[in-house]
Amino acid sequence: MKEKIAAAAASAIVSTLLAIMLALAHGAEGTIGVNYGTVANNLPPPEQVAQFLLDSTIINRVRLFDANPDALQAFAHTGIAISVTVANDQIPSLTNLSFAQQWVKSNVSPFIRATNIVRILVGNEVLSTANKLLIMSLVPAMQAVHTALVGESLDRRIQARYASGGISHEGNFLEGDENYLDRPLRNCLGPLRMMEGWLSFRSRASLLRSGTPPLAISRIFFSGDQGLLFSDQRLLLWPFLASSFPEVSTPHSLGVLSTSTPPSTGKFWKGYDTHVLKPLLSFLKATNSPFMVNPYPFFGCSAETLDFALFRPNSGVFDENTGLNYTNMLDAQLDAVFSAMKLMGYDDVDIVIAETGWPSAGDDGEVGVDPDSAAAYNAHLIQHVVSGVGTPMMPNRTFETYIFALFNEDLKPGPTCERHFGLFEPDLTPAYDVGILRPTASNFHSSPRDPAARHPRTAGKLWCLPREGAGEEALQRNIDYVCGSGLDCRPIQAGGRCFAPNTVRAHAAYAMNLYFQSTGRHDYDCDFGQTGAISTVDPSTLCY
């Protein structure tokens, strides 16, 4: 009997491991986070913000611009992945290991068991400060913080949740700290560590970065005080098994590039490349941490390139060196960074988008500073980075992405746009709709400025077709844009079910509606440079 139980236990664990391995074989999923800035005098308390994000949005990652203990406490037991930041002016002091150890003891250790702190960011856009002391201290400071985390045994952390009978038992705990947990979790430690051994073939750090939902493991055998026990309970295990976390990284502006156009010529500034960025990339690779960048197509666009920046149909930008065509500015910016990293020999280090966004208001004369443009950029951004399409130079991959910002912050200095990057107003109503509210929250939080609220869509009743009078050249550009973005255009290719009638207008009708239906069915998803129009005619009925 014991042999059968043991065999069944092994089978259950192996089956679970195979499921994990299959999931890993398909690559990491893109995840959407937000930058939670607080340069304002009218924001809700952190506890309310954390509960709102947990209950009302799909956001599962938050980047803090400090290590505010109130915020860290507010996100306790939410499971939301938190990145905390060390201020730039503390970087020189952090090169001293004693100071780094004290910083970790004060700002990380007290919260790590309850709050899902996944990353420590040492400064922000440090190279752009042109401060030689900060720049030369950056990598030593990151190394000291990492050493301090290891010294605190925070690189040996397990996070798990065990649910039974509607009661959730959860813990974010360190190896050897079993007494902190409820007994059900303590009993599960055996198989967790067994699974850890099976997962050693791949970096366990990448599991958490993938944002994969908690794994549901039913009818698991676990070791307890009485040997192998059988349980019908359900164990939810975050993909986080004794991994080397929190990671240590630092975000960069695109100013670290001396050349970025075309993307294949991307390279870092001479001097910074060998003396700062090469040792930084070496550290990131050794600790399996990502290279973090803050790409902002908004700051790089003009009236002529607005469609290119907003993921709208455009003629694209062709890179003659690679033969690759770019249909949006974000891909071009990311590939320029990738080219610079590849030139240094570090194209195997992950890239994380630490900041990107679009303002919903601005000063007179600024291009695209309105709610519809902000909604278009951020909605298409979300769809793009999680789609798995990747970029021309980095195909078939997703990107962990943090939208800037959570709130409109009324005390930020600078031009008007700086105070209007928020997805939400301080009263938690959306500044515009980008599809991040859960269905139960979307009606309650609808805003009169929300394009979707102004023009609600009833599923299956509206389509996008070419506007009367739209020229064939413009419609062909629409086809090229949609089909080049990774959407499935096989039905309008030769032999496809909608190839006939073989006209540009008929094929454009299929492609434009495909894009409209795939990206949220907002009015701006059917604009296509004023060549598209919302219709009650299903374009599939036009196929022969």
Side-chain angles (χ1 to χ4, degrees), residues 443-511:
N443 292 334
F444 178 79
H445 290 286
S446 64
S447 164
R449 288 170 295 173
D450 176 353
R454 291 199 303 268
H455 301 283
R457 301 290 180 235
T458 303
K461 295 295 179 77
L462 294 171
W463 294 267
C464 178
L465 294 177
R467 189 182 295 275
E468 289 295 330
E472 287 197 356
E473 184 177 345
L475 295 180
Q476 184 61 53
R477 284 199 301 268
N478 295 347
I479 296 170
D480 295 341
Y481 175 81
V482 172
C483 299
S485 68
L487 294 176
D488 186 5
C489 288
R490 286 175 295 181
I492 57 175
Q493 295 173 357
R497 63 181 176 83
C498 284
F499 179 69
N502 183 19
T503 66
V504 172
R505 188 173 186 84
H507 289 180
Y510 180 91

Side-chain angles (χ1 to χ4, degrees), residues 234 297 329-330 367 456 471 493 501 508:
R234 188 173 178 82
M329 191 179 293
L330 180 71
V367 175
Q493 295 173 357

Side-chain angles (χ1 to χ4, degrees), residues 30 71 95 146 155 193 218 234 236 239 248 299 312 338 355 385 403 417 420 428 463 468 479 485 489 495 497 543:
T95 60
H146 177 74
D155 65 330
R193 290 185 178 136
S218 299
R234 188 173 178 82
L236 295 183
V248 178
F299 292 115
R312 289 173 177 165
F338 176 77
E355 285 182 36
V385 298
I403 297 174
C417 67
H420 291 87
L428 300 177
W463 294 267
E468 289 295 330
I479 296 170
S485 68
C489 288
R497 63 181 176 83
C543 304

Side-chain angles (χ1 to χ4, degrees), residues 20 23-24 26-32 60-61 81 119 202-215 238-240 245 247 350 352 385-386 398-401:
I20 297 171
L24 290 175
H26 288 85
E29 295 180 4
T31 56
I32 300 300
N60 61 5
R61 288 178 173 264
R119 192 173 289 137
R202 173 164 175 156
S203 163
R204 292 183 290 276
S206 65
L207 298 181
L208 184 63
R209 281 205 307 276
S210 73
T212 306
L215 302 170
W238 267 275
F240 189 105
F245 267 82
E247 297 174 330
D350 283 348
V352 165
V385 298
V386 304
T398 59
F399 295 92
E400 180 184 331
T401 300

